[in-house]
Amino acid sequence: MISELAPLAPGVSDELRAAVQRRFETTLSELVSLASIPGIAWEAFDASELERSAKAVAELAAAAGLEGVEILRAPRPDGQPGGPAVVARRPPQPGKPTVLLYAHHDVQPPGDPALWESEPFVPEERGGRLYGRGTADDKAGVMVHLAAWHAVSETLGDAAGVGVTLFVEGEEEHGSPSFRAFLETYRERLAADVIVVADSANWAIGVPALTTSLRGLVDATVSVSVLTHSVHSGVFGGPILDAPTILARLIATLHDDEGNVAIPGLVVAADPDVDYPEDQYRSDAGVLDGVRLAGSGSVAARLWARPALSVIGIDVPSVAVASNTIQASARAKISMRLAPGQDPDAAMEALRHHVEANVPFGARVEFTPGERGSAYRADTDSPAARLALDALREAWGTDPVQMGMGGSIPFVADLKEVFPDAEVLITGVEDPDSRAHSANESLHLGEFERCIVAEALLLAALGSAEG
């Protein structure tokens, strides 16, 4: 816990900003090298590239002057080893706090190469942005931590005071299956007064944000069957509906006519104070002209304070191989985001009950639960949060937004459970056009530099505080 705050010495802010600027081209070069490694934690991809990514992060951490650099693992629930994580430290001066700096080095698969305007793993700078898989999510987060520490150590040396523990995970995009075991196994190495999670986004280019709430997550696979085997649609069509049609009718019950999630019993949180104009949302999300937005209430409330449900995959024959056949079975993967305050186990059971109660025409249905993660709400009156907001304000020259995030970072709840006295700050390098997880992912380089300055200011300010 942070007990006492003290202002930075005169001139330190300017010195930190200058240190970030002097090294920025080197930082950018290091990011390009790191983002060139296709480290993907999914079993279908080359595991050696994930190892290479971890080793590259470890080398960068050592070059930044951090000590005891290790590549560590913990077992997943199925007993298999988890992804390689990098841990490195710089001990605090007596009486000073320790900050855990979290990011992840694994990335999403690139997806359809035809959708990319440049090679996913050959980062390319265009128009002030760096394009490539992982340039924003989350190898830029790794580099913000390292570059900020470079600036602080160069400017303040031992006078920095603050202790730093770097924790760069290697399987976040695969759902962090070994995360809780990793925290339990290496609890003493990771213990900290403040935890900075660099895996979120800012409000807009030129406007920073501190993420103060996250939605939770559950997902499940729903399979429907109507026949023991597929049959000729001419000979048997009419009395029986095919499984894709049954599945479509079931999916249609998941929302009401306005597009609100129609599953009874789900939590709805209080509406946020921040407004997200509809025209800005439509532009940020790339909504086509004429498409009506779903749901009721403000856009910010629909994004951050209410459940949302998407069908993220369907298994049926593709059009390219379609035949005149009544399909016996079909399945879909359903992903549901949860409002803060929602218990994910209760949400999973609500989804299961709805699916089983609404399958049409007596079709056979199988519900297979998947991932689940808790929502999060921050205490923005905490000392560390106040320091973070001040650092963002100074780095950008404008007031930061305290924003919710429609996405989920389930491991934040694990961090709070294992380290209940630590203050968690969620920051990020993305902007509304970063397109994380999508083709043409990119990083705005001006915002990247300001993120580094803000974290350097935060670390220096924490070094002036009492732990």
Side-chain angles (χ1 to χ4, degrees):
M1 296 288 288
I2 305 299
S3 58
E4 254 182 73
L5 302 179
L8 291 177
V12 170
S13 295
D14 291 339
E15 292 176 22
L16 289 170
R17 190 183 298 271
V20 170
Q21 291 171 345
R22 280 194 301 271
R23 200 180 181 279
F24 187 70
E25 288 304 317
T26 299
T27 298
L28 183 56
S29 176
E30 291 170 342
L31 173 59
V32 167
S33 296
L34 191 58
S36 300
I37 303 172
I40 301 168
W42 300 13
E43 284 81 357
F45 293 84
D46 185 354
S48 68
E49 295 290 2
L50 192 62
E51 299 294 330
R52 188 159 71 97
S53 179
K55 290 176 182 177
V57 172
E59 291 169 0
L60 290 169
L66 296 174
E67 304 169 6
V69 181
E70 300 175 280
I71 297 177
L72 303 171
R73 299 174 184 272
R76 296 175 177 175
D78 62 4
Q80 296 299 311
V86 178
V87 177
R89 299 192 67 233
R90 191 267 197 184
Q93 298 293 324
K96 296 297 182 180
T98 294
V99 183
L100 179 68
L101 302 176
Y102 170 91
H104 62 88
H105 68 88
D106 67 304
V107 300
Q108 281 279 320
D112 184 353
L115 298 177
W116 286 82
E117 296 177 11
S118 55
E119 291 295 323
F121 293 106
V122 183
E124 180 178 297
E125 187 176 342
R126 302 194 304 272
R129 303 187 73 98
L130 183 67
Y131 288 82
R133 176 60 84 225
T135 55
D137 184 17
D138 185 34
K139 288 179 176 176
V142 176
M143 293 311 307
V144 165
H145 291 327
L146 293 171
W149 178 245
H150 268 291
V152 170
S153 59
E154 176 188 330
T155 302
L156 299 175
D158 290 340
V162 67
V164 168
T165 301
L166 180 72
F167 171 28
V168 182
E169 187 193 354
E171 58 180 12
E172 193 274 345
E173 300 292 10
H174 191 48
S176 301
S178 71
F179 191 86
R180 185 57 179 256
F182 195 97
L183 296 186
E184 300 284 3
T185 302
Y186 303 109
R187 183 192 296 257
E188 292 185 7
R189 285 181 176 90
L190 302 175
D193 301 285
V194 178
I195 301 171
V196 178
V197 176
D199 194 20
S200 188
N202 289 302
W203 182 250
I205 294 173
V207 183
L210 186 68
T211 298
T212 57
S213 71
L214 300 165
R215 286 193 291 198
L217 169 73
V218 297
D219 65 40
T221 300
V222 176
S223 302
V224 296
S225 301
V226 295
L227 298 163
T228 58
H229 59 279
S230 297
V231 296
H232 193 295
S233 62
V235 174
F236 294 100
I240 183 73
L241 290 180
D242 58 89
T245 296
I246 294 289
L247 180 61
R249 293 174 69 101
L250 175 57
I251 289 171
T253 71
L254 297 172
H255 296 88
D256 65 20
D257 290 342
E258 291 299 310
N260 297 293
V261 176
I263 297 172
L266 298 179
V267 169
V268 174
D271 286 358
D273 296 330
V274 177
D275 184 31
Y276 193 162
E278 181 174 332
D279 58 349
Q280 181 183 340
Y281 171 81
R282 296 180 74 95
S283 174
D284 291 344
V287 180
L288 295 174
D289 290 343
V291 174
R292 184 166 61 92
L293 298 188
S296 55
S298 72
V299 171
R302 282 177 269 176
L303 279 174
W304 307 336
R306 301 182 183 182
L309 187 147
S310 300
V311 177
I312 61 173
I314 296 182
D315 286 338
V316 295
S318 70
V319 171
V321 297
S323 62
N324 285 322
T325 306
I326 299 176
Q327 296 299 322
S329 61
R331 66 176 183 168
K333 187 166 185 179
I334 296 170
S335 175
M336 188 163 68
R337 304 289 177 164
L338 312 175
Q342 173 72 67
D343 175 66
D345 291 335
M348 185 73 83
E349 286 309 305
L351 177 59
R352 178 201 298 272
H353 178 77
H354 181 94
V355 165
E356 292 176 348
N358 286 276
V359 62
F361 289 91
R364 186 170 300 173
V365 63
E366 181 179 354
F367 182 92
T368 305
E371 183 182 357
R372 64 192 78 195
S374 298
Y376 169 75
R377 189 182 297 280
D379 175 11
T380 55
D381 291 326
S382 71
R386 297 201 306 273
L387 287 179
L389 291 167
D390 288 344
L392 292 168
R393 184 177 297 107
E394 185 164 351
W396 266 264
T398 190
D399 286 338
V401 174
Q402 297 180 35
M403 63 179 257
M405 177 62 66
S408 308
I409 311 179
F411 63 75
V412 171
D414 290 324
L415 287 169
K416 285 299 296 179
E417 289 177 11
V418 177
F419 305 113
D421 294 330
E423 299 181 46
V424 177
L425 305 173
I426 303 175
T427 63
V429 299
E430 296 172 31
D431 64 83
D433 199 34
S434 287
R435 305 188 190 188
H437 293 205
S438 182
N440 303 305
E441 177 181 347
S442 70
L443 171 72
H444 188 283
L445 298 182
E447 297 295 274
F448 180 43
E449 183 174 339
R450 284 185 277 271
C451 288
I452 298 168
V453 171
E455 186 162 305
L457 290 168
L458 173 61
L459 292 175
L462 288 169
S464 70
E466 297 297 322

